[in-house]
Amino acid sequence: MRKIWSIGLIRALIFQILGSAIGAGLLGLIRLAMGLSWKTEPALVVGGFIGAIFFMIGIGGFSGWWKMAMGEDVPEAHDVTEPEGIRRYFGFSLDHKVIGIQYGILSMVLLSVGGSLALIFRTELASSGLQILDFVQFNTLVGLHGMVLIASILMGVAAMGNYVVPLMIGAEDMAFPRLNAFSFWIAVPATVLLLSAMLFGGFETGWTAYPPLSVRGPMGIQLFFAGVYIVGWSSILGALNLIVTTLKMRVKGMKLFVMPIFAWAVLATSIISLTATQLIGLSFQLVMFERLLGMGFFTPSNGGNPILFQHLFWFYSHPAVYIFVLPGLGIISELLPVFVRKPLFGYKWVAMSSMGIALTGYLVWGHHMFTSGIEEYLRVPFMYSTLLVAVPTGVKFFSWVATLWQGKLRFPVPMLFILGAIIVFLIGGLTGPPSGTVSTDLHLHDTYYIVGHFHATMFGGFIFPIFAAIYYWYPKITGRKMNDTLGKIHFYLMTPAFLVTSFGQMQIGMLGMRRRIADYDPTLGFDTSHLIITIAGYLIGVSVLIFFINLIISAKRGEVATGNVWQSRSPEWSILPSPSPVHNYKGMPFEVVGEPYDYGLEGSNYVLPVNQTGQAD
Amino acid sequence: MSSITSSAQYQKKLAINRLGLWLFFASDAFMFGGLLVARFYLLGNRRLELEQTLGLIVTVVLLVSSFFMNRAEVMISKGNQKGFQRSIIVTIVLGILFLAGVVGVEWQTAHFQVNEGAQGAVFYMMTGMHAFHVLTGIIFLLIVYRNGLKGKYTAEKHYAVEASANYWHFIDLVWIIYYPALYLMGLI
Ligand SMILES: [Cu+2]
């Protein structure tokens, strides 16, 4: 019993259950004292938030700050001794590498949950008529599939940012280690809340939660809101930490324009998450209060306007797409030179294109509302700003092509996924302008064409790159390589399967198949296409299963790889041994002396160890 | 390694902490900005039916509190512990007065309920989110006051004071924008 209690995660989950009950009970008592009867919905909301706070108390997320507030001395993060072994990963660790892996595990868990939800409703869609689900169940699954995978992607982005960025820039840890651990752990109770929406009636709105439907539907939406709200805070605080780390913790000699390109991508991403995330939190908060107190934000009969919600919501949710893909595109630019043995073409332009995408991303949200009844005069400006995004994105593509040109290509598993990412993201990118142009979007809006386009951008911009990143940095984490054959099976199964789903979705979308519909008219002739898409979806599932098996067995049985496996110039490979030591570069100081991507240039160095003699005294 | 940090390390940490706090303000400002957008989107050129005198009083109270907050920070940076504690207490009291004015009086006596139209929604949400920040600010100030009594802050090292002061000014700034948006702009 004691042993179980000492595992942070289990203790915290018990705390969360207790906290939820206490919160809900207390609210009931207060209402009773005010002469009001029991109501489940407010109890659910209050219990949900109190439960999340209790979770953080249980994991120990407040203890350091509490001591600081009480005026006690709190040790610096690197002086804290942490338990050895696997238990460290289930508790409140302050080490950015541990937190990075925790994020990674949570991301993969959510990836499999979100993917499985999709397989359930894809099975329903495989033929016309209703077979296994009713309408609310179908809608709940569709909405949760979207939001669970958004959470998964945010966690995956944070995983890469946390594990890799401090190592790349030679920092001893993140700028705020306690805040970092807090940002990760707060996402866990949030996930629990998000998924428990299924247990309380589900919700009908899809992941966008548009009012007035979200104001009226079942109360599962409240748990969905609470979960997203807290995940949002996790993302905001994580982004804050990454920005400060990148700007203030770089090693000697590492100017901004010689830092690894991935650090630029994470910086750009973090600027968006830091600011825009507030707006999805706010929009969901307003619906939450509208439901609880009858406030008139979005119901026209009470003075509100549902279009306001869409403005606030898309102000985040469009840039969110760049939060998801910028790190992935950064991975492509980061890994490509390593496997091509050539300098990255136009480093400065690539760095600036990340910033450019981030900034133009703020100006385009209206393209989701062409058919919503927004002001007529806003449509064309939003169309042009949307098409403008193609410029910095194009810079990246030209850089990749020019980097590949006349390179000495090698094709290990990470490189396969990089090339897959480029091709799939190209498909996603090229199918974008028709949805961003007013005249064509009026036809395509809310059809499966959008679904196909969006999944191509997500796979090309995140799924393929993060698999590349995992295959690439796995030896850095474990000291072993992942199995090559299984990796290749994963790639050659997932890529065609994905292309079939994506093109299939676009095809039936253009013929008029609507999104978020559990059933369709058999006379439309979509049955065969839907069946093929569903089968391909299952094949993606199988390929990811093979990846998980590989991930687990390679930790014990993989080929030992402690050195610079990929002959990279980046400091985490050229200076550090694998697996990376607890205190990063402690005892191995280095400085930046050259350009990061001068592969193939005789005698050039990016980083060099600092002579130890000066430090020995 | 000892936990005694050298001056250079302290300066580096200070720079990191400062940047972190400013980024937090930037983030929070987007939330407040979103509410401001909601106000103009829903009500446009319509002014809210509010008690003007009361609005003016609470605004003056908050502005004066920011002045005392600034005094507290200046005093601790000169090593004047007594003056620092006195100014912080004044700030806290004024902060509580502001809360009492908004939540205790204005909320109770407003001409409309929370569920009455866009006016009720906008007013209670904007003042509510602002009041929530004032409340957290007061909690931070209480912590700083308590640690100040213990002599935790010196003229050289008092980042907690600086941080809570900046937070307090930030909340004040938000109100300087919210006050005209709620009380002054538009027509009844
Ligand atoms: Cu968009």
Side-chain angles (χ1 to χ4, degrees), chain A residues 32-221:
Chain A
L32 205 66
M34 289 165 69
L36 299 164
S37 62
W38 170 262
K39 241 179 157 180
T40 311
E41 190 168 327
L44 213 55
V45 175
V46 174
F49 279 102
I50 304 274
I53 294 169
F54 266 66
F55 180 98
M56 294 314 289
I57 296 172
I59 200 80
F62 291 115
S63 61
W65 291 331
W66 176 258
K67 280 184 192 148
M68 280 183 209
M70 289 299 112
E72 291 167 42
D73 283 326
V74 180
E76 294 288 321
H78 50 78
D79 296 333
V80 177
T81 38
E82 293 183 355
E84 295 284 315
I86 201 92
R87 185 169 302 171
R88 213 167 158 219
Y89 293 91
F90 293 96
F92 197 77
S93 170
L94 301 181
D95 184 342
H96 76 95
K97 296 186 290 302
V98 175
I99 296 171
I101 292 163
Q102 289 171 331
Y103 268 123
I105 294 169
L106 182 59
S107 171
M108 289 301 129
V109 169
L110 288 175
L111 184 76
S112 31
V113 173
S116 311
L117 297 179
L119 292 182
I120 299 172
F121 69 74
R122 270 307 335 161
T123 311
E124 170 61 55
L125 283 169
S127 56
S128 50
L130 284 184
Q131 290 87 33
I132 52 171
L133 301 170
D134 64 34
F135 288 131
V136 177
Q137 284 170 342
F138 181 88
N139 288 340
T140 307
L141 288 176
V142 169
L144 273 183
H145 162 70
M147 201 45 94
V148 166
L149 281 168
I150 287 173
S152 161
I153 293 175
L154 290 174
M155 299 302 123
V157 166
M160 295 189 282
N162 257 288
Y163 195 91
V164 177
V165 168
L167 290 182
M168 277 184 164
I169 63 172
E172 61 173 355
D173 205 308
M174 296 279 279
F176 307 106
R178 283 192 177 80
L179 185 69
N180 197 25
F182 185 89
S183 314
F184 165 70
W185 280 107
I186 194 71
V188 178
T191 310
V192 174
L193 286 177
L194 191 59
L195 290 173
S196 59
M198 278 192 279
L199 307 176
F200 291 89
F203 58 102
E204 298 171 308
T205 58
W207 76 278
T208 51
Y210 275 12
L213 189 55
S214 56
V215 175
R216 289 176 198 155
M219 64 179 144
I221 193 94

Side-chain angles (χ1 to χ4, degrees), chain A residues 507-521:
Chain A
Q507 180 236 350
I508 55 171
M510 281 196 282
L511 294 174
M513 176 72 201
R514 309 255 307 146
R515 284 172 84 174
R516 298 182 180 133
I517 301 289
D519 190 13
Y520 47 91
D521 188 347

Side-chain angles (χ1 to χ4, degrees), chain B residues 9 41 43 84 110 133:
Chain B
Q9 272 174 313
Y41 199 89
L43 294 173
F84 156 69
H133 280 74

Side-chain angles (χ1 to χ4, degrees), chain B residues 39 43 46-56 102 105-112 119-120 122-124 126-127 175 178-185 188:
Chain B
R39 180 253 177 265
L43 294 173
R46 220 178 99 209
R47 201 201 316 156
L48 288 81
E49 301 154 50
L50 293 166
E51 196 55 60
Q52 289 294 337
T53 345
L54 191 60
L56 194 61
V102 173
V105 184
E106 182 79 278
W107 278 24
Q108 313 301 329
T109 58
H111 301 297
F112 43 80
Q119 183 171 239
V122 162
F123 173 73
Y124 283 97
M126 281 173 79
T127 52
W175 187 253
Y178 272 24
Y179 170 64
L182 288 170
Y183 286 82
L184 305 179
M185 292 167 88
I188 288 281

